[in-house]
Amino acid sequence: MKITDNHVVTLNYILTDNDGEVIDQAQDSSFVYLHGAQNIIPGLEKELADKTIGDKFTVKVPPEEGYGHRDDSRVESVPRDMFPQDQQIDPGMVFHAEGPNGESITVTVLEITDESVKIDSNHALAGVELNFDVEIMAIRDAEAVELEHGHVHGPDGHHH
Ligand code: ZN
């Protein structure tokens, strides 16, 4: 069985930056995704097409096929009172917020004054070249309900 759209794929992977630092990994068949449903970044999904169980490969994904380039307009100062007054805020703190389209965004605090907080809402991996070391562990047909929802169900997937 080869990986095509509407297959559920299990992979092991190690993700490193160009300095060899490990950014993320899954080595125990715990990572499962639905192929063809934009569950994963485009540069990796493209490489997985037509691969089969046991295949191993490495791929370098550029930012435009990963988490995008850094956008300087996403570094901005917002009023201090947008944050709870009783909350201590320090540079380097990370907040999770909801973006304009309901997507989950991560906001990092850069600087803070009495009146304002300078934040960066670029994805932490924006502008980073991503080096994936991948092994295909399993492939199966997606269930109808998984296709309907656009994500994987089951013990290692999405739970409702
Ligand atoms: Zn679902």
Side-chain angles (χ1 to χ4, degrees):
M1 186 180 260
K2 287 187 172 182
I3 298 174
T4 59
D5 285 357
N6 304 337
H7 279 149
V8 171
V9 182
T10 305
L11 16 120
N12 283 352
Y13 69 90
I14 303 175
L15 169 59
T16 54
D17 64 18
N18 284 348
D19 297 324
E21 294 288 327
V22 175
I23 297 168
D24 189 19
Q25 60 181 319
Q27 294 293 320
D28 54 0
S29 294
S30 62
F31 184 82
V32 184
Y33 80 98
L34 175 60
H35 193 84
Q38 288 93 47
N39 286 178
I40 61 175
I41 58 171
L44 181 58
E45 187 159 53
K46 188 175 70 177
E47 286 297 315
L48 284 157
D50 294 327
K51 295 284 195 298
T52 192
I53 295 170
D55 281 356
K56 295 181 184 183
F57 66 94
T58 59
V59 58
K60 181 186 284 288
V61 177
E64 54 270 26
E65 293 184 338
Y67 294 98
H69 288 279
R70 285 188 55 81
D71 177 356
D72 289 340
S73 74
R74 300 190 74 164
V75 177
E76 56 186 335
S77 288
V78 298
R80 171 68 178 84
D81 57 18
M82 280 183 65
F83 295 85
Q85 287 302 316
D86 56 358
Q87 181 169 19
Q88 173 81 21
I89 302 174
D90 295 307
M93 279 181 71
V94 174
F95 292 88
H96 297 281
E98 192 168 294
N101 302 313
E103 75 277 22
S104 168
I105 58 172
T106 301
V107 174
T108 306
V109 174
L110 300 180
E111 292 170 20
I112 176 161
T113 69
D114 286 346
E115 292 86 34
S116 69
V117 180
K118 191 175 179 186
I119 58 170
D120 181 355
S121 58
N122 282 289
H123 191 284
L125 295 177
V128 177
E129 283 193 325
L130 306 169
N131 302 287
F132 285 95
D133 197 337
V134 179
E135 180 174 4
I136 315 297
M137 307 306 289
I139 307 170
R140 67 170 170 83
D141 288 318
E143 308 284 341
V145 67
E146 291 175 319
L147 295 178
E148 193 182 313
H149 289 196
H151 55 229
V152 177
H153 288 186
D156 298 312
H158 184 89
H159 297 271
H160 288 280

